[in-house]
Amino acid sequence: MKPKNRRFMAVDILLLMLTILPIVAGITFKVLTTPLTEGIVISGARIYWTIPMPIQNLLITESQINSAIVIITVLGLCLYLTHGIRAGVVTKRQLLAEWIVEKVDGMIHENMGEYFAGFAPFVTAILALSGFSSLLSLFGLYAPTSDLNIVAGWAILVFILITYYKCKAGLWYYVKSFGEPVKVLAPMNLISEIATPFSMAFRHYGNILSGSIVAVLIGALLQSLSAKFLGWLPGFLGEIPFLQIGIPALLSVYFDVFGACLQAYIFAVLTMLYVSNGFPMDEYEKRKLRKLQKKKNVQH
């Protein structure tokens, strides 16, 4: 094998390790730090460390640790998919990377228009972070999307973008928009505006958390039914929860895979629609023309 090919494969291996090892480290850390429990345990993110701060203590939780795992994993995957891409040579990873780019570009074009073509990396980041965060539950790790604090942070960021684009036609135009179509509806429009990040956060958080809880409860029920109806089997056979074999895996496909991808897609689509629909394109173009005309008048 040529030295160039050996270096290429070595980099590939390092990038794959960057993708896989954070998840392995997260599983190992959880196993070593989680106390043994009996029965069903449904709780929020564990608090690992508390850092004293002047106003409020900073809590380092399971959600933050697992979010960092997702970020490193996504980074490693992106670097692996783009490693070695060059003109004239088509590889499977290049086809996969191009397919992802084309699909996201298509979503942007369909939901936002050509003006927002630069939003593709942001929407891709939303899809990747949301999807991979929810899929962590497949490895027995706490899904950061089950923590309202994490999803609320995303929703607040999206709300800032929505407000920014609504104000591009001028702050006064944004304020006046609350009085449309009639001024008496201004309080209702204001409440609707403030409710946007709340609805986005609670919708995503609630669907992921409820799916996890339902899966755990069904698994516990199947274990109980197995002990009741099959506990008569001789020896160790009576202790095997036969009803838990296969059925929880099918439920996991729906709740952990399909549900995770669906909620990531919904959050991304809502982001695109809220931003693009809130942007007053016509008024923004008129404002640009007025500024340009004013600048020409000053020069003359």
Side-chain angles (χ1 to χ4, degrees), residues 108 112 189 204 238 281 283 291:
I108 295 293
M112 303 185 78
N189 291 333
H204 196 303
M281 175 70 75
E283 190 62 30
K291 285 186 175 181

Side-chain angles (χ1 to χ4, degrees), residues 16-272:
L16 287 174
M17 291 176 62
L18 182 64
T19 304
I20 298 172
L21 287 182
I23 299 176
V24 175
I27 296 172
T28 305
F29 183 73
K30 182 172 183 176
V31 170
L32 294 177
T33 58
T34 302
L36 295 176
T37 58
E38 296 182 0
I40 302 174
V41 178
I42 300 177
S43 61
R46 293 180 58 209
I47 299 175
Y48 290 125
W49 301 285
T50 301
I51 302 177
M53 301 293 285
I55 299 177
Q56 183 178 351
N57 291 339
L58 176 62
L59 304 180
I60 306 300
T61 69
E62 200 170 5
S63 298
Q64 294 165 301
I65 299 296
N66 291 352
S67 292
I69 290 174
V70 170
I71 292 173
I72 298 172
T73 298
V74 171
L75 173 63
L77 181 61
C78 291
L79 292 175
Y80 174 76
L81 291 178
T82 56
H83 179 227
I85 290 182
R86 59 186 184 274
V89 180
V90 180
T91 61
K92 292 181 179 179
R93 74 178 74 178
Q94 180 178 344
L95 292 175
L96 178 58
E98 290 178 352
W99 178 81
I100 294 173
V101 172
E102 289 175 359
K103 287 298 180 182
V104 176
D105 284 342
M107 290 173 58
I108 295 293
H109 178 76
E110 180 180 351
N111 295 291
M112 303 185 78
E114 292 298 329
Y115 180 83
F116 292 96
F119 256 69
F122 181 73
V123 173
T124 306
I126 290 177
L127 289 169
L129 287 177
S130 176
F132 278 85
S133 294
S134 300
L135 290 173
L136 278 186
S137 58
L138 291 173
F139 303 96
L141 297 175
Y142 182 82
T145 43
S146 297
D147 190 333
L148 182 59
N149 297 292
I150 298 296
V151 185
W154 300 350
I156 291 172
L157 176 60
V158 171
F159 181 67
I160 292 173
L161 282 173
I162 295 170
T163 306
Y164 169 76
Y165 278 96
K166 283 186 176 182
C167 291
K168 284 183 76 69
L171 181 59
W172 177 239
Y173 181 86
Y174 172 66
V175 174
K176 287 195 304 181
S177 67
F178 289 106
E180 297 177 356
V182 290
K183 293 182 180 179
V184 72
L185 293 178
M188 298 298 296
N189 291 333
L190 180 60
I191 293 174
S192 176
E193 186 79 1
I194 297 174
T196 298
F198 289 93
S199 64
M200 292 186 69
F202 279 102
R203 179 187 291 108
H204 196 303
Y205 155 77
N207 280 291
I208 296 298
L209 180 63
S210 61
S212 301
I213 293 176
V214 169
V216 170
L217 293 177
I218 292 178
L221 175 62
L222 291 173
Q223 182 180 16
S224 177
L225 292 175
S226 182
K228 183 176 182 179
F229 294 106
L230 301 176
W232 54 268
L233 293 174
F236 70 93
L237 293 177
E239 300 177 1
I240 299 177
F242 286 101
L243 295 181
Q244 279 191 315
I245 300 175
I247 298 178
L250 295 176
L251 293 174
S252 179
V253 170
Y254 177 78
F255 289 116
D256 295 333
V257 179
F258 176 75
C261 296
L262 178 62
Q263 292 307 315
Y265 176 77
I266 291 174
F267 194 90
V269 169
L270 288 176
T271 298
M272 292 185 286

